[in-house]
Amino acid sequence: MGETGNHNHDHSHNHNHNHQQPPSQSMAPPQPPPGSHLPMGAARGPIFQPQEQLTNLNYCIHSNPSWHQTCILGFQHYIVMLGTTILITNSVVPLMGGNRGDRARVIQGMLFMSGINTLIQTLIGSRLPVVMGPSYVYLIPIMSIISSNNTGNYDSEHQRFVHNIRTIQGSLIVSSFVSIILGFSKAWGNFTRLFSPVVIVPVVSLVGLGLFARGFALLANCVELGLPMLVLLVLVQQYAKRLHSRAHSILERYALLLCLGLIWAFAAILTAGGVYNRVKEQTKMSCRTDRSFLAPYAPWIKVPYPFQWGTPIFSAGSVFGMMGAALVSSAETTGTFYAAARLSGATPPPGHVLSRSIGWQGISMLLDGLFGSVVGSTASVENVGLLGLTHVGSRRVVQVSTAFMIFFSIFGKFGSFFASIPLPIFAAIYCVLYGIVAANGISFIQFTNNNSMRNMYVLGLSLFLGISIPYYFMSYTMTANHGPVNTGGAWFNDILNAVFSSPATVAMIVGTLLDITLEARDTAVDRGVPWWIPFQHRKGEVRNEEFYSLPLRINEFMPTRFIK
């Protein structure tokens, strides 16, 4: 899919060319010819027409690079999602009582499930090139589980860890039915049909902006590695590629791997040279390449299997808290799907596709619980940003990346090698990738009336509250060790604290309520509804079938309620 220029519709302005002298000030300005309706300022510059699909992609959703390029790009997707996996594991497992060996096994299990869940979504779920990785939204109920289990009597810390992870397993298994029911009952798809482009803008934008704490704040833990990575990635990927035509496509697609390798080698040299021998322990953990401690404990070969930690423990309070996280995950995944569709050259996903994908995400959450993952899965925002960074939205690339996830989860010694990459290097990458997703959300505003004060009100309030409310909830939790909602019911607290700690979810709630209650019928055109409605139905837009139909003619064997 080649790059195309913007369409500039030139209009004739020859009605003044017969005048030899400019008109005097007393003369009335010339009138446009009858039937001409030029927007104000049209003569001063081009008018950029709205584009339902991005056209400046090198490869769209169903076009594929050569196999050797596909493998390299797939490996790049694996590396990008690895950072989030390590970060979540490092944050949660020690609090659960796990040792370094437990941490290695948890990472292996999460990588394995990410590969399986990504295959499910790309084959029979959303069909979008989206990596399904571990999610931060489950941390609130997980912290509640850890806190409630700390009061028990355990013979060892490892026993406490096993009890915690078995409780998490039971909670994931039961709460997975929230997504399964929402999806396969078509309830979620019907809900998303309430959206208009005015709602999509804050939801998709805050999917990226809401992760700002994993950007420069994490980078600053080792600024001598993170900042050079950020600057080098921008220089190489955006500026150096313009120096030579042959370097353009190479640096555009693989600059991330090149820069990561250089800064990783630089970090290894600093570590070996003793630069971090006399620094704070936090600096050592952030900067040194030998602080993952996974290589000695990771098994050479180990295939994750169901109930590897033991029989799941089912606790009512823990289950209800995890249900809130499942709802939030569905909301954030939906926003990520809209971003992925645009960055891969597809049309916005219809309601029946979103229902189908959320249903399969529930199945993935069920598998996460069976296999003993410490968190559930959601669509990886950083990997969607990578689609925009490389201009490659191929579905096959993401499917190939699952081979790397599964391989390195089974052969643990090899996977532990990449776990030595310092996390501030990943944070520098996320600064770019999250920004691309946020900007992609803003692009949906082109289908609305940008001069409507009503739209400005809905957008402004949704964006501001979508950032401000979660920031308050997260700041309060860090200070008080519990969320602002702190009633006698722990399950009730976890549900509300999880929902209102998610920027995309808050923006979805506020934006949808305002958009459907503030003069919705009278402002349908300003809201972009005529443009949006055809994409929400399978037969409303002929291109939907091209992008979202299931492979191997599976559509013909499915009940029609799941494909309309």
Side-chain angles (χ1 to χ4, degrees), residues 54-286:
L54 288 181
T55 56
N56 54 348
L57 299 171
N58 296 320
Y59 297 95
C60 63
I61 185 171
H62 47 43
S63 60
N64 304 307
S66 61
W67 275 108
H68 72 275
Q69 294 184 67
T70 298
C71 291
I72 298 174
L73 290 165
F75 178 73
Q76 197 165 232
H77 274 280
Y78 160 73
I79 288 294
V80 167
M81 66 83 57
L82 179 64
T84 301
T85 304
I86 296 173
L87 183 60
I88 290 178
T89 306
N90 289 353
S91 302
V92 173
V93 173
L95 297 177
M96 296 169 61
N99 54 36
R100 293 166 183 173
D102 297 327
R103 190 155 54 94
R105 291 177 63 189
V106 167
I107 290 177
Q108 285 183 272
M110 292 170 68
L111 286 176
F112 184 82
M113 291 314 305
S114 292
I116 299 299
N117 295 336
T118 301
L119 279 178
I120 290 174
Q121 280 295 339
T122 55
L123 287 173
I124 55 178
S126 68
R127 298 284 287 153
L128 290 167
V130 173
V131 171
M132 301 300 292
S135 174
Y136 295 101
V137 304
Y138 295 93
L139 294 184
I140 290 178
I142 286 172
M143 292 302 179
S144 179
I145 291 173
I146 295 172
S147 177
S148 63
N149 287 342
N150 281 343
T151 56
N153 295 321
Y154 306 101
D155 296 333
S156 64
E157 280 293 278
H158 179 72
Q159 187 181 12
R160 182 169 72 90
F161 165 78
V162 172
H163 188 270
N164 276 319
I165 199 168
R166 288 170 60 197
T167 306
I168 293 171
Q169 279 185 265
S171 301
L172 287 173
I173 290 172
V174 176
S175 58
S176 67
F177 288 94
V178 171
S179 297
I180 292 174
I181 294 172
L182 281 177
F184 292 128
S185 69
K186 293 180 29 176
W188 190 258
N190 292 333
F191 169 65
T192 60
R193 290 192 175 104
L194 297 175
F195 298 168
S196 73
V198 176
V199 178
I200 297 299
V201 171
V203 171
V204 177
S205 294
L206 292 188
V207 163
L209 290 179
L211 296 170
F212 65 89
R214 282 91 189 183
F216 200 86
L218 183 59
L219 178 156
N221 289 338
C222 189
V223 71
E224 62 268 31
L225 296 180
L227 191 58
M229 178 65 197
L230 176 59
V231 173
L232 188 64
L233 180 58
V234 173
L235 291 178
V236 172
Q237 210 268 343
Q238 293 296 323
Y239 292 93
K241 71 177 183 181
R242 306 177 189 277
L243 298 179
H244 197 280
S245 58
R246 291 187 177 181
H248 189 280
S249 62
I250 295 175
L251 294 181
E252 184 176 75
R253 297 175 198 173
Y254 313 120
L256 189 150
L257 281 180
L258 175 63
C259 297
L260 185 145
L262 290 174
I263 302 300
W264 186 16
F266 177 60
I269 292 172
L270 293 181
T271 302
V275 173
Y276 301 117
N277 290 346
R278 299 181 179 179
V279 296
K280 297 179 180 178
E281 188 62 29
Q282 177 61 40
T283 304
K284 290 182 180 180
M285 294 298 298
S286 299

Side-chain angles (χ1 to χ4, degrees), residues 332-360:
E332 293 192 351
T333 295
T334 299
T336 308
F337 282 158
Y338 283 120
R342 186 150 184 81
L343 290 174
S344 61
T347 55
H352 74 278
V353 171
L354 292 173
S355 281
R356 186 177 73 198
S357 62
I358 294 303
W360 280 110

